[in-house]
């Protein structure tokens, strides 16, 4: 309802004002990645429209839109981290406004989904410091909204923007392509009918183009990021051929902790998981064998090198270690949490959320390190989609709740 969205927006505005003062007007000392993000923004401030040479040589792993925007702020207001944090804080607020005002009018899960997003620890951390993640997330959410509203040209541009902030955002237009193609296949009488429908319903083409927008960056750098900074962060060419299946398991653990378990507890969908082995026995056995293989041969371990020295995979791993759950016992616990996530998303009712989980999680196996934060984009997307039954429901026969339509 309009009044609910208005009151929620006012509450969030007041909350953001309070946080602004609690953080001492964003004048506190530099925090972690800000020590190198600030110089990069200053680097970009000298060329408001960056040259090819600048785009080839800047010393970061991420695609450059957050630094271009930061450069504009530095160019106008001066070299002060406070202004860059205000930029990030404002983008964070815009993201929540997109989430609130594009929710269904009468969604029964509105508060669950909003709180689920804001409760993720990194949402706060990436909002109050000059971190690049929030820029990618706002483009990502905008792209998902455009897709749901069927404004596909806008979805294309927004996903291109997301990928130009963080390379791994390409998982999401890829997920939409997969979702659209599977939908066409399910509605086709045969391969000939499938091919003809591909040319009739071209929705998937927009998002395929968005996905391919990563190619110019690869061509520019001859790789996924500038070579010098890749070597500095021990993500050099020799490691590009490696794949870390342990990161895939930990990413699934994060989804279980931050999304699946809260969703199940609050929406009382536990029966789905109890019935899963009986309804899909062969699929359940395959999932068990996959998890056992990961536990035995590819346990989840953090990257540890001269550049990155934090021993934990992320906050969830740190909690396990604090509780003295280590070694094989911890890996088995991770495996059980991964099983919960896989049962949630891998079933014959494979929907858009399932595609997003699969593409994002598999892509994180190529990350230079593991971190809870890298799962927040898909968790944000899932919480948003949870307000729309056709993209969320665990039931075989999906029917939208009364009044649940995008506005």
């Amino acid at each position: 309802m309009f009044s609910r969205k208005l009151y929620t927006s006012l509450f969030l505005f007041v909350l953001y004002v309070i946080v602004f003062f609690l953080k001492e007007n964003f004048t506190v000392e530099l925090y972690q990645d800000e020590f190198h993000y600030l110089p990069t923004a200053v680097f970009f401030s000298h060329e408001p429209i960056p040259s090819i040479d600048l785009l080839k040589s800047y010393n970061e792993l991420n695609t450059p839109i957050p630094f271009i925007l930061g450069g504009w702020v530095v160019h106008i207001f001066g070299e002060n981290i406070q202004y860059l944090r205000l930029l990030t804080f404002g983008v964070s607020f815009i993201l929540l406004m997109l989430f609130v005002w594009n929710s269904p009018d009468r969604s029964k899960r509105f508060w669950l989904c909003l709180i689920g997003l804001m409760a993720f620890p990194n949402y706060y951390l990436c909002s109050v410091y000059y971190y690049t993640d929030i820029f990618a997330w706002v483009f990502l959410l905008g792209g998902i909204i455009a897709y749901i509203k069927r404004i596909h040209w806008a979805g294309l541009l927004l996903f291109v923007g997301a990928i130009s902030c963080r390379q791994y955002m390409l998982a999401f237009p890829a997920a939409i392509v997969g979702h659209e193609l599977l939908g066409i296949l399910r509605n086709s009488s045969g391969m000939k009918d499938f091919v003809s429908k591909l040319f009739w319903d071209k929705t998937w083409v927009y998002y395929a183009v968005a996905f391919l927008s990563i190619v110019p960056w690869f061509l520019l750098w001859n790789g996924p990021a500038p070579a010098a900074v890749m070597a500095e962060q021990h993500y050099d060419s020799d490691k590009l051929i490696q794949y870390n299946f342990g990161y895939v398991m930990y990413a699934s653990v994060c989804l279980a902790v931050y999304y699946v378990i809260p969703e199940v507890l609050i929406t009382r969908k536990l029966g789905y998981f109890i019935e899963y082995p009986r309804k899909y026995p062969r699929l359940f056995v395959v999932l068990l064998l996959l998890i056992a293989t990961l536990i035995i041969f590819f346990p989840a371990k953090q990257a540890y090198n001269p550049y990155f020295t934090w021993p934990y995979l992320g906050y969830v791993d740190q909690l396990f270690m604090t509780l003295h759950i280590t070694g094989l016992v911890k890996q088995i616990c991770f495996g059980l949490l991964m099983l919960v996530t896989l049962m949630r998303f891998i079933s014959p009712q494979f929907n858009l959320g399932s595609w997003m989980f699969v593409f994002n999680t598999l892509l994180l196996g190529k990350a230079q390190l593991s971190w809870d934060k890298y799962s927040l984009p898909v968790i944000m997307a899932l919480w948003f989609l949870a307000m729309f039954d056709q993209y969320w429901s665990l039931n075989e026969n999906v029917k939208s709740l009364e009044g649940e339509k995008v506005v």
Side-chain angles (χ1 to χ4, degrees):
M1 299 178 186
F2 179 83
S3 59
R4 180 176 70 181
K5 295 177 180 181
L6 179 60
Y7 295 145
T8 302
S9 300
L10 292 174
F11 168 77
L12 291 173
F13 178 77
V14 172
L15 179 63
Y16 268 57
V17 171
I18 293 172
V19 169
F20 173 74
F21 287 110
L22 288 177
K23 293 298 292 182
E24 302 177 33
N25 303 353
F26 297 141
T27 57
V28 296
E29 61 185 19
L30 297 179
Y31 178 79
Q32 294 186 0
D33 286 346
E34 287 184 328
F35 282 99
H36 57 92
Y37 283 165
L38 174 58
T40 303
V42 174
F43 192 49
F44 273 85
S45 70
H46 302 306
E47 294 185 29
I49 299 177
S51 64
I52 296 296
D53 288 338
L54 174 57
L55 293 176
K56 283 183 176 180
S57 60
Y58 73 98
N59 196 39
E60 300 291 348
L61 282 175
N62 309 336
T63 34
I65 279 184
F67 306 115
I68 295 172
L69 296 176
W72 292 352
V73 169
V74 171
H75 184 77
I76 296 171
F77 298 103
E79 184 179 336
N80 190 326
I81 193 63
Q82 181 185 32
Y83 299 121
L84 293 171
R85 289 170 174 169
L86 283 170
L87 169 67
T88 310
F89 203 53
V91 172
S92 170
F93 185 76
I94 290 171
L95 189 154
L96 291 182
M97 291 300 98
L98 286 173
F99 196 97
V100 170
W101 286 94
N102 290 281
S103 65
D105 284 341
R106 301 180 185 276
S107 173
K108 296 178 180 179
R109 309 181 197 104
F110 173 78
W111 292 112
L112 164 65
C113 298
L114 181 61
I115 294 171
L117 169 60
M118 296 182 65
F120 197 107
N122 289 108
Y123 190 85
Y124 170 79
L125 290 173
C126 291
S127 297
V128 298
Y129 299 107
Y130 176 53
Y131 270 39
T132 61
D133 309 82
I134 204 74
F135 300 92
W137 300 341
V138 75
F139 278 112
L140 167 61
L141 182 58
I144 293 171
I145 291 168
Y147 170 72
I148 291 176
K149 291 187 174 184
R150 318 306 288 179
I151 311 174
H152 299 305
W153 64 268
L156 187 160
L157 295 176
L158 287 162
F159 279 121
V160 169
I163 293 169
S164 298
C165 294
R166 282 275 183 166
Q167 292 93 318
Y168 74 106
M169 294 297 105
L170 63 85
F172 296 92
I176 292 176
V177 171
H179 178 66
E180 286 291 320
L181 294 181
L182 181 60
I184 295 172
L185 181 62
R186 283 171 170 169
N187 294 320
S188 300
S189 58
M191 188 54 61
K192 185 177 180 180
D193 186 36
F194 171 71
V195 173
S196 68
K197 286 182 177 178
L198 283 179
F199 294 96
W200 178 69
D201 183 357
K202 297 186 176 113
T203 298
W204 64 274
V205 175
Y206 290 92
Y207 302 96
V209 172
F211 171 83
L212 292 172
S213 69
I214 193 65
V215 172
W217 296 115
F218 267 79
L219 294 176
L220 180 68
W221 298 320
N222 294 316
V229 71
M230 288 179 66
E232 179 184 340
Q233 297 193 21
H234 297 266
Y235 193 53
D236 52 39
S237 57
D238 291 338
K239 295 185 178 181
L240 289 179
I241 61 174
Q242 299 178 6
Y243 189 87
N244 196 320
F245 288 97
Y247 289 176
V248 172
M249 180 159 65
Y250 186 72
S252 300
V253 168
C254 289
L255 258 73
V257 171
Y258 294 114
Y259 177 78
V260 179
I261 293 175
E263 173 199 51
V264 170
L265 292 177
I266 296 174
T267 61
R268 301 177 184 178
K269 295 287 184 179
L270 185 61
Y272 167 84
F273 296 89
I274 296 173
E275 290 293 315
Y276 190 98
R278 182 187 63 81
K279 292 179 68 175
Y280 317 117
R282 294 181 181 178
L283 185 55
F284 184 69
V285 170
V286 170
L287 298 183
L288 288 178
L289 291 174
L290 171 63
I291 291 169
T293 301
L294 293 180
I295 291 173
I296 296 170
F297 298 105
F298 306 100
K301 297 179 181 179
Q302 181 60 288
Y304 193 85
N305 55 54
Y307 183 85
F308 188 80
T309 58
W310 205 56
Y312 307 110
L313 288 154
Y315 301 125
V316 177
D317 185 42
Q318 185 178 16
L319 175 61
F320 273 84
M321 300 288 278
T322 303
L323 296 174
H324 303 290
I325 302 174
T326 60
L328 181 60
V329 175
K330 183 180 75 172
Q331 297 299 326
I332 292 172
C333 291
F334 281 176
L336 292 173
L337 288 169
M338 184 178 187
L339 179 62
V340 169
T341 300
L342 290 176
M343 287 194 295
R344 170 62 180 88
F345 294 107
I346 307 299
S347 76
Q349 292 74 54
F350 207 83
N351 57 24
L352 180 57
S354 302
W355 282 105
M356 289 184 175
F357 157 69
V358 168
F359 276 106
N360 185 77
T361 305
L362 290 177
L363 192 60
L364 292 184
K366 284 303 302 167
Q368 80 272 28
L369 53 92
S370 179
W371 201 248
D372 298 34
K373 178 178 70 174
Y374 297 151
S375 294
L376 180 52
V378 72
I379 290 172
M380 176 190 70
L382 291 171
W383 281 128
F384 186 74
L385 293 176
M387 295 185 288
F388 303 89
D389 265 15
Q390 63 269 38
Y391 301 111
W392 173 87
S393 179
L394 294 170
N395 301 322
E396 294 185 25
N397 299 315
V398 178
K399 294 182 179 179
S400 297
L401 298 179
E402 181 180 357
E404 290 207 0
K405 58 183 180 179
V406 72
V407 295

